[in-house]
Amino acid sequence: MTVLILTCEEDVTADLVVAELAALGTPLVRLDPADLPGRAAMSAEYASGDFDGYLSVDGRMVAAAALRGVWVRRPGTPAARADGPSDWLTAETGQALYGMLASTDARWMNHPAAAERARLKPWQLHAAHGSGFAVPPTVVTTFPRVAEQFAARHGRVVVKTLSGPPRGEPRVVLPTALVSPDADFTAVAAAPPLLQRYVPKRADIRLAAVGRRLFAARKASAEGQVDGRYGETGHRWEPSAVPERIERSVRAYTDAAGLAYAAFDFAEDADGVWWFLECNQGGQFGFVELDTGQPLARAVAEWLTGWA
Amino acid sequence: MTVLILTCEEDVTADLVVAELAALGTPLVRLDPADLPGRAAMSAEYASGDFDGYLSVDGRMVAAAALRGVWVRRPGTPAARADGPSDWLTAETGQALYGMLASTDARWMNHPAAAERARLKPWQLHAAHGSGFAVPPTVVTTFPRVAEQFAARHGRVVVKTLSGPPRGEPRVVLPTALVSPDADFTAVAAAPPLLQRYVPKRADIRLAAVGRRLFAARKASAEGQVDGRYGETGHRWEPSAVPERIERSVRAYTDAAGLAYAAFDFAEDADGVWWFLECNQGGQFGFVELDTGQPLARAVAEWLTGWA
């Protein structure tokens, strides 16, 4: 039973899981869809009620029927490195590859359809509410007056991007930032930001759900730090127990979202409440494993191999 | 209870449904996501476990809580007509709009996640097999030898595009075409085509599933015609009964795919067998309604309004 990892070449997180799959003795194929067609080739035949598929990477052939798990890690654009790339060739190749994989019995981490919806931040907030998490009041709006009233009502408000920083070079970083309630909000008419009540926090929490297994880590905040992802705090990630209430909410959320892997970010306030900030279906875990020694890559490898 | 239609401005099929919604007295909002932000504005607030959303188009406001149905007809790219459009603004605006809509209780025709998978032609063949349809043997491959052997085995084979014709100008038409078994198949290594055993047909069948209602139409083929979409046959679409066996398979397929609307194309052979060719989750129906008088637009309007 083989595991397929869809990712680009430079991906340290994938390297960690590849090592664990090797340790488990699980055969694996690593494919960047950008290499199809070219370094990679595929075939899918539908006849007499049967489906037969093959994938070949660097001359190594794997049958679709042998695929146990597919890890959609950080795949490149289909056919991006083909001779004569085009949007059309990308569309054709994406159809062929993902259509073939969707015809297999493999388990997905994560299924592209589930991932697509789970990336929508407004939907995340809605699902988080429904799952029983504490969620800071949030608004996404193109109405300047709604933004103004929201900021006036909540006092300290942070602004976030919905889709992440713009792609391309030079790379731009958009950390979560505090905005003053008397700021000028007219610009929201041109692009809807996400505004959220600021949660004064004593720690950042990162919780990874890998199938049914949960791994939480906690990092104490530096005084006045707003975005835990940037800046040195002098603290490291430490393993943390998962409160039972949070565990129930995490399960409700991943079940509703149909996710096999999810990385939750929480802000822990002075009372110890974990406030839901976001849930990244493709979130990194290498940095947490490095600090805490929690066996995240191993858990991913085991899930893909088909272990409970 | 309001219906939201996401489509571009020039869309005759949408016009037909708009007229039927008006006849039913169902309030409706027509939005092209390309007009957000700009002619359109939106707001979504998540607080205390509640979700509150608003959409405004041309100054007309509708509450997300009032949305009964969302018809994803032919939406433009979010923010495409904004001042200063960019890929990033498109990503941010898409997050805001689709994230808000995903937080409502509205029924979708079709849900974007279901639509995404249903567009994959190889998955369609797989689902069609599983639903009990007769499906002509098909291969999608980048291996020239596999293509050669497939053509040799089946004799008369047609070649199709997987993703449709390339977009952009000038418009290109790629009709399904017969290929000779002794054709040169080396080019498949550069782009995977779909090869299918040719079904000699006496008629084309178009079957639309609108919720639980089925409408089939039949058009006799011209002698030797391969692609029923192109060329004058001298025949018109006529209403057709739906065989019980086909009805069962259609229901199995739309249930598996999670589709509220689906347009099936079949080839009827000399024995009267309906061969599954494809299922287009966004297929047109105006041309069939025009010829047959079947109330397709009315059925779509009723489904979106919430009628059984």
Side-chain angles (χ1 to χ4, degrees), chain A residues 68-87:
Chain A
R68 183 75 179 96
V70 179
W71 190 28
V72 186
R73 187 27 220 157
R74 196 175 277 185
T77 302
R81 275 193 286 276
D83 297 339
S86 69
D87 288 347

Side-chain angles (χ1 to χ4, degrees), chain B residues 56-219:
Chain B
S56 157
V57 184
D58 291 328
R60 199 171 140 228
M61 191 80 95
V62 57
L67 286 181
R68 182 75 179 95
V70 179
W71 189 27
V72 186
R73 190 22 223 161
R74 195 175 277 183
T77 303
R81 275 193 287 277
D83 296 340
S86 70
D87 288 347
W88 185 67
L89 185 56
T90 288
E92 292 281 296
T93 306
Q95 273 266 349
L97 176 64
Y98 288 101
M100 182 191 82
L101 294 177
S103 306
T104 69
D105 296 325
R107 49 182 13 200
W108 291 75
M109 182 180 269
N110 288 313
H111 194 286
E116 188 66 25
R117 189 178 59 173
R119 276 190 205 101
L120 295 171
K121 271 197 199 165
W123 183 83
Q124 290 179 17
L125 298 167
H126 180 62
H129 272 304
S131 306
F133 288 114
V135 186
T138 308
V139 73
V140 176
T141 190
T142 65
F143 291 100
R145 206 177 320 167
V146 171
E148 254 168 56
Q149 288 167 351
F150 182 85
R153 191 156 65 247
H154 296 293
R156 299 184 80 188
V157 165
V158 292
V159 60
K160 298 182 188 183
T161 159
L162 284 157
S163 64
R167 287 175 191 195
E169 300 293 338
R171 287 183 70 180
V172 179
V173 163
L174 287 178
T176 299
L178 275 168
V179 282
S180 158
D182 50 8
D184 177 4
F185 287 100
T186 51
V188 308
L194 185 151
L195 298 170
Q196 193 162 63
R197 193 183 75 200
Y198 173 61
V199 179
K201 66 185 172 190
R202 63 181 191 198
D204 285 294
I205 306 285
R206 164 60 76 103
L207 185 154
V210 183
R212 307 307 284 172
R213 297 167 69 183
L214 308 187
F215 302 90
R218 180 180 185 279
K219 185 165 79 166

Side-chain angles (χ1 to χ4, degrees), chain A residues 37 41-46 49 88 92 95 103 119 121-123 126 129 137-142 153 161-164 189-190, chain B residues 37 41-46 49 88 92 95 102-103 119 121-122 126 129 137-142 153 161-164 189-190:
Chain A
M42 59 78 57
S43 207
E45 189 160 351
Y46 301 82
W88 186 68
E92 292 280 298
Q95 273 266 347
S103 305
R119 276 191 204 101
K121 272 199 197 162
W123 184 84
H126 179 62
H129 272 305
T138 308
V139 73
V140 176
T141 191
T142 65
R153 192 157 65 247
T161 160
L162 283 157
S163 63
Chain B
M42 59 78 56
S43 207
E45 190 161 348
Y46 301 82
W88 185 67
E92 292 281 296
Q95 273 266 349
S103 306
R119 276 190 205 101
K121 271 197 199 165
H126 180 62
H129 272 304
T138 308
V139 73
V140 176
T141 190
T142 65
R153 191 156 65 247
T161 159
L162 284 157
S163 64

